[in-house]
Amino acid sequence: MAKQESVSGLVGLLEADGEALADEWVALVAGALGGRISRAELVRELRELYSALLEAIRSGADDAHAEGMSEVRALLTELSRSRARQGFTPSETAVSVLALKRVLEPGLREGAAEKTQAYLQLSRVLDDLALFTIETYTHTREDIISAQADQLMELSTPVVKLWDGVIAVPLVGTLDSARTQVVMEKLLQALVDTGSEQAIIDITGVAAVDTQVAQHLLKTIVAARLMGAECTVSGIRPQIAQTIVALGIEFGDIVTKATLADALQLALMKSGVELVAQQGLQR
């Protein structure tokens, strides 16, 4: 009986002048978002959310995590992801739910204790739903940031075809294990795609190389050799050379050159290209 009274109180609270309530809810959210979303889109989102919330409460779902609230959570998931992609803040996302509390407050002035109790119960539900939107928003932003980081890493690790049978990976910036792994994958794939037998890894623009990065580079060169390609490392600056010596890293029989031009010249000679001074390149 108490459950039925609770549900009845919540339904009554939401149904009281429901049309005007929904319009005021839209107006409040529109103001908080500064007009960055069209009113038509807001009306669609919030009216769908309002209808789903009312239906969920009618079915007896008085908890944000109840099975009956599944449609409400689905709508909030879509809303939160949309806000995250559009660049809204967590607060601007949660206001879509929390503004409903402010809309309901004026109706309490004329109400009895039962209405106040219903408002407090609904307020707890809305608070939980607002937390749900923030959690969903946060996960979406993390996914976006991770995807952007991957895209930047791809863009910052180009594989360039310098000549028939010769490719190069010019590296700029900071090398870490994750990026070095990307270098290995892209280089090996480029060897397959182009059928190249010579590869140049140019680290002129790399500020520092630690033991782990150096080991990754060595593994990349070994992997390339297993595929029938020879690698040349160019652009080892004095500071990096000192670090490599201090760390005791052995490059063994790996060929190194001071500049990319020197490495390219060597690779072309190994590819059978005849170099003629002042006259360009001849096959």
Side-chain angles (χ1 to χ4, degrees):
M1 184 67 178
K3 175 75 170 177
Q4 291 179 348
E5 290 178 355
S6 173
V7 169
S8 177
L10 290 173
V11 170
L13 191 64
L14 287 173
E15 281 189 330
D17 203 8
E19 198 69 26
L21 187 152
D23 288 341
E24 189 177 349
W25 187 14
V26 170
L28 273 177
V29 175
L33 299 182
R36 285 181 286 163
I37 292 183
S38 69
R39 186 174 180 84
E41 185 177 353
L42 275 179
V43 168
R44 178 189 62 79
E45 287 179 344
L46 298 186
R47 284 191 176 274
E48 284 182 355
L49 186 57
Y50 180 81
S51 298
L53 180 61
L54 185 57
E55 190 60 36
I57 290 176
R58 278 179 179 153
S59 70
D62 56 356
D63 182 274
H65 304 287
E67 184 178 349
M69 286 281 180
S70 59
E71 185 178 353
V72 175
R73 292 194 298 272
L75 290 171
L76 286 176
T77 297
E78 180 184 345
L79 182 149
S80 300
R81 288 175 178 170
S82 175
R83 297 288 192 274
R85 295 188 188 100
Q86 292 170 317
F88 287 96
T89 66
S91 298
E92 289 171 330
T93 303
V95 76
S96 296
V97 176
L98 297 176
L100 182 56
K101 293 169 64 174
R102 290 180 56 189
V103 172
L104 294 170
E105 286 175 4
L108 302 177
R109 296 169 188 160
E110 26 172 275
E114 293 79 10
K115 185 180 288 188
T116 302
Q117 183 61 36
Y119 172 82
L120 292 175
Q121 186 176 355
L122 181 60
S123 180
R124 287 192 290 270
V125 173
L126 293 175
D127 286 342
D128 286 343
L129 290 174
L131 288 174
F132 175 81
T133 66
I134 292 176
E135 289 173 0
T136 305
Y137 170 96
T138 301
H139 291 320
T140 303
R141 287 299 300 168
E142 289 173 351
D143 291 342
I144 291 172
I145 292 170
S146 177
Q148 289 174 340
D150 290 341
Q151 291 169 1
L152 286 172
M153 189 174 292
E154 287 287 327
L155 291 172
S156 64
T157 314
V159 178
V160 183
K161 183 177 179 180
L162 299 179
W163 197 264
D164 290 339
V166 182
I167 62 174
V169 185
L171 299 176
V172 178
T174 302
L175 275 181
D176 55 20
S177 296
R179 190 178 174 203
T180 311
Q181 181 65 32
V182 173
V183 171
M184 177 187 289
E185 293 172 359
K186 293 192 71 174
L187 177 61
L188 297 182
Q189 187 60 50
L191 290 173
V192 173
D193 295 341
T194 63
S196 299
E197 296 182 352
Q198 297 293 326
I200 300 170
I201 301 176
D202 183 70
I203 60 173
T204 304
V206 176
V209 172
D210 60 20
T211 305
Q212 197 168 17
V213 169
Q215 293 298 333
H216 276 300
L217 288 175
L218 293 176
K219 289 177 182 178
T220 300
I221 294 168
V222 171
R225 282 181 174 177
L226 291 174
M227 296 176 62
E230 286 296 321
C231 285
T232 302
V233 180
S234 65
I236 299 180
R237 300 191 302 168
Q239 299 91 329
I240 293 179
Q242 291 175 3
T243 301
I244 290 173
V245 171
L247 292 173
I249 300 169
E250 294 290 340
F251 270 54
D253 60 347
I254 296 171
V255 179
T256 61
K257 289 293 181 180
T259 67
L260 177 58
D262 293 338
L264 176 58
Q265 183 178 14
L266 176 64
L268 291 175
M269 290 176 61
K270 287 183 177 181
S271 298
V273 177
E274 182 181 353
L275 302 177
V276 181
Q278 305 297 327
Q279 297 180 13
L281 305 176
Q282 296 181 352
R283 285 281 184 186

